[in-house]
Every structure is written in structure tokens, then in C-alpha cells.
Amino acid sequence: AKAIRDGVIDATIDHEKGHVQSKENVDIYSTNEPQGAFHQRVSFSLDLYNQSVRAMRFPPKSYSKDLESLEEQREREKQDLELAKEMAEDDDDFP
């Protein structure tokens, strides 16, 4: 009785005859509801995919103008290496 009252089972109780009579099941697949649910899921998945692809695109060419050239990068790395060597030599001076 609780399942019927809660809407889990679509039926009625016949107390006089002592049995439960279930109501006629409607064929859910004869409606457009499953098709609509499937379409909604597929649309969501495709939208998520398209947004992900857009997020992974490379930055525009104008972005590379702000980056260092290869020569500038090598020069900076040489300076960093020299500085590191000097700092290592300074550390060796202390007992």
C-alpha cells in the first residue's frame, strides 16, 4: 500500500476481493520522450566537446611577438649560468 501511495507502483488495491490490480502500462517507447532525452544527452556531450576543443586552441600569432627571440633566450640563459657559477664559487669561499 505504501508503494502505491508513494507512486512507485501504479496500481489499486481491491480489499473486497483481496488482490492488487495494476493499472495498464503505457508503452513509453511509443512516445517521443526517449528520443528527446537521448537528443538532450547527445547535445550536451557535443557542446562540452566543442567547448573543450575551443579551449585547447593555440593562441593567435600576435602572442608570439611578446616572446623572446631565440638569440635573446640563449643570451639570458648564458647570463643565468654565469650567475649560478659565481654564486657557487662564493659558497665555496665559506668554510
Side-chain angles (χ1 to χ4, degrees):
K2 184 174 187 315
I4 294 171
R5 184 176 52 239
D6 291 345
V8 176
I9 300 173
D10 195 16
T12 58
I13 300 175
D14 189 353
H15 294 286
E16 293 175 4
K17 295 180 182 177
H19 69 276
V20 175
Q21 178 68 41
S22 63
K23 294 185 180 175
E24 183 179 332
N25 286 339
V26 178
D27 184 16
I28 188 79
Y29 295 104
S30 65
T31 65
N32 289 334
E33 186 176 344
Q35 180 183 1
F38 182 69
H39 177 72
Q40 184 180 8
R41 290 180 191 145
V42 169
S43 295
F44 173 78
S45 298
L46 287 174
D47 288 342
L48 182 63
Y49 170 78
N50 289 333
Q51 290 173 6
S52 300
V53 168
R54 277 189 228 120
M56 292 188 305
R57 287 191 177 154
F58 293 105
K61 297 264 184 200
S62 62
Y63 175 76
S64 62
K65 291 179 183 176
D66 297 335
L67 298 177
E68 308 179 285
S69 69
L70 186 59
E71 294 173 7
E72 292 172 342
Q73 186 177 2
R74 286 183 183 158
E75 182 64 32
R76 183 181 49 81
E77 288 175 358
K78 283 181 185 178
Q79 291 174 357
D80 290 345
L81 186 61
E82 290 173 5
L83 181 61
K85 284 180 183 178
E86 289 176 12
M87 291 176 67
E89 290 174 1
D90 291 343
D91 288 343
D92 292 340
D93 292 344
F94 293 106

